[in-house]
Amino acid sequence: MSTKKKSPTMKYLEQLAGRSLTLGGLLESLRLAEEKSLTTFAKTLHISPSHLCDIEKGRKSVSPARAADFATILGKSKSQFIRLALQDELTRSGLKFKVHVEVA
């Protein structure tokens, strides 16, 4: 079984978030890296600041389709956002699986 090393970018984003990367953590890291307020970043994503806060703190989940929308809006990798959304759901369910996503 091979172990995949984290990229320098992933390590940096996890350092910014202060935890293992989740979709909420990724969004928070991107927001902090861009030095945007919660309100400004939420407007960019077309959601309320309270909803963004709940996503960042792991209190709300994001569907894979919504994660893809966020990636498009931010000009980021859809597969990475979808992977994190799915991984978050597995983790919340207590299932110890790793998600790998590739374009069909």
Side-chain angles (χ1 to χ4, degrees), residues 46-61:
H46 310 291
I47 59 175
S48 70
S50 63
H51 190 75
L52 177 56
C53 182
D54 285 342
I55 293 169
E56 286 185 357
K57 301 302 177 201
R59 294 185 294 257
K60 296 236 177 175
S61 61

Side-chain angles (χ1 to χ4, degrees), residues 6-104:
K6 291 182 184 177
S7 70
T9 303
M10 190 68 87
K11 288 178 185 177
Y12 174 72
L13 291 172
E14 286 183 347
Q15 183 181 13
L16 271 178
R19 61 183 185 261
S20 292
L21 205 55
T22 60
L23 182 58
L26 175 61
L27 291 172
E28 182 178 29
S29 295
L30 291 170
R31 180 176 64 79
L32 294 173
E34 294 177 13
E35 298 181 352
K36 289 188 177 180
S37 70
L38 193 72
T39 302
T40 301
F41 202 65
K43 282 181 186 177
T44 300
L45 297 175
H46 310 291
I47 59 175
S48 70
S50 63
H51 190 75
L52 177 56
C53 182
D54 285 342
I55 293 169
E56 286 185 357
K57 301 302 177 201
R59 294 185 294 257
K60 296 236 177 175
S61 61
V62 175
S63 72
R66 193 87 187 270
D69 291 342
F70 289 167
T72 298
I73 290 166
L74 298 172
K76 304 295 181 191
S77 166
K78 283 185 185 180
S79 61
Q80 181 68 294
F81 276 54
I82 292 167
R83 184 189 69 76
L84 287 171
L86 292 169
Q87 188 66 58
D88 290 350
E89 286 301 313
L90 289 174
T91 301
R92 278 190 186 92
S93 298
L95 299 171
K96 297 183 186 225
F97 288 90
K98 285 258 187 213
V99 175
H100 300 280
V101 175
E102 59 185 59
V103 178

